[in-house]
Amino acid sequence: MRILLFPLACLALVAAQDAPQGASELAGQWDQTSTRTQLVRVPVLRDRPTASLAGRGMVTGRGPVTSTVLRDEEVPMQVHYMVSLRIQPDGRFKWLTEKRRTASPTNDCEIREGTRRDGMASYADGRLVLKSESVRALSLDCDGTGDETREPGRVDVYAVRRQGNMLVLQSADGEVWQLQRAGG
């Protein structure tokens, strides 16, 4: 019996040494659902004045006074977010984000974008490091057609604050996620 326990104890010790530092402190499911107003680049129809010049700056009365053009502009829009971060005690993580918004301020059809990142997490000195082994991005247009891309792995670092059942992550570029522990 002791012969079997010794190899098991050794395996447990090796597994504990290989586990990312501090990941178990943040283990669990963390979620956020929110709506933000932000600038979104969308196509917008605009009228612009037109004029025909008939020599020396004279404007003739021929043709329409304005023409309609389609331009991409950044306009404030409501964007709905759903974020889920699941960290296992061994450091494996899954990060899902979904972003929904209307196609433009005058169009009610919905555009959806989402990402899924899988990899290993480590936590030390108030910093959460997410090493993504794979990143999948999906976007769906109004008609339900979509585009899926796969990106190589990446590393993201977040400053972490814990406030009870709230986990606040802030990236180097200032993006802030306030995640609530699921079930808490």
Side-chain angles (χ1 to χ4, degrees):
M1 179 77 164
R2 278 201 312 219
I3 296 172
L4 289 175
L5 291 178
F6 181 72
L8 291 175
C10 289
L11 285 175
L13 182 61
V14 169
Q17 289 173 350
D18 288 343
Q21 181 181 2
S24 63
E25 289 183 52
L26 301 178
Q29 173 99 14
W30 303 89
D31 299 318
Q32 175 193 15
T33 303
S34 63
T35 301
R36 302 178 192 172
T37 299
Q38 66 185 64
L39 292 176
V40 177
R41 184 171 289 280
V42 296
V44 177
L45 289 173
R46 294 284 184 212
D47 289 333
R48 72 172 182 200
T50 58
S52 351
L53 299 177
R56 301 219 138 156
M58 301 298 296
V59 177
T60 67
R62 296 184 200 144
V65 178
T66 62
S67 64
T68 303
V69 295
L70 182 64
R71 297 183 359 190
D72 282 345
E73 294 182 6
E74 289 189 346
V75 297
M77 294 183 65
Q78 295 289 310
V79 180
H80 307 282
Y81 286 91
M82 186 284 304
V83 178
S84 176
L85 173 61
R86 182 181 304 152
I87 301 175
Q88 302 294 330
D90 68 355
R92 300 219 47 82
F93 80 89
K94 182 185 299 185
W95 174 286
L96 302 170
T97 60
E98 181 181 301
K99 183 167 62 169
R100 294 180 293 117
R101 66 172 175 83
T102 57
S104 73
T106 59
N107 187 339
D108 287 339
C109 82
E110 187 174 76
I111 301 227
R112 295 172 61 187
E113 299 172 355
T115 59
R116 175 182 172 157
R117 297 167 35 201
D118 296 289
M120 293 299 290
S122 62
Y123 174 66
D125 301 323
R127 299 250 182 252
L128 176 64
V129 177
L130 300 177
K131 294 181 183 177
S132 301
E133 296 162 359
S134 68
V135 179
R136 282 182 31 207
L138 177 66
S139 62
L140 295 174
D141 292 334
C142 293
D143 60 2
T145 60
D147 183 33
E148 181 176 342
T149 58
R150 292 181 186 266
E151 302 171 14
R154 67 182 206 211
V155 176
D156 296 294
V157 179
Y158 297 93
V160 175
R161 282 193 335 263
R162 294 274 309 262
Q163 300 170 339
N165 284 335
M166 184 77 65
L167 181 68
V168 181
L169 306 178
Q170 182 169 359
S171 66
D173 65 2
E175 186 173 37
V176 176
W177 297 104
Q178 293 183 359
L179 306 170
Q180 183 81 29
R181 185 181 289 279

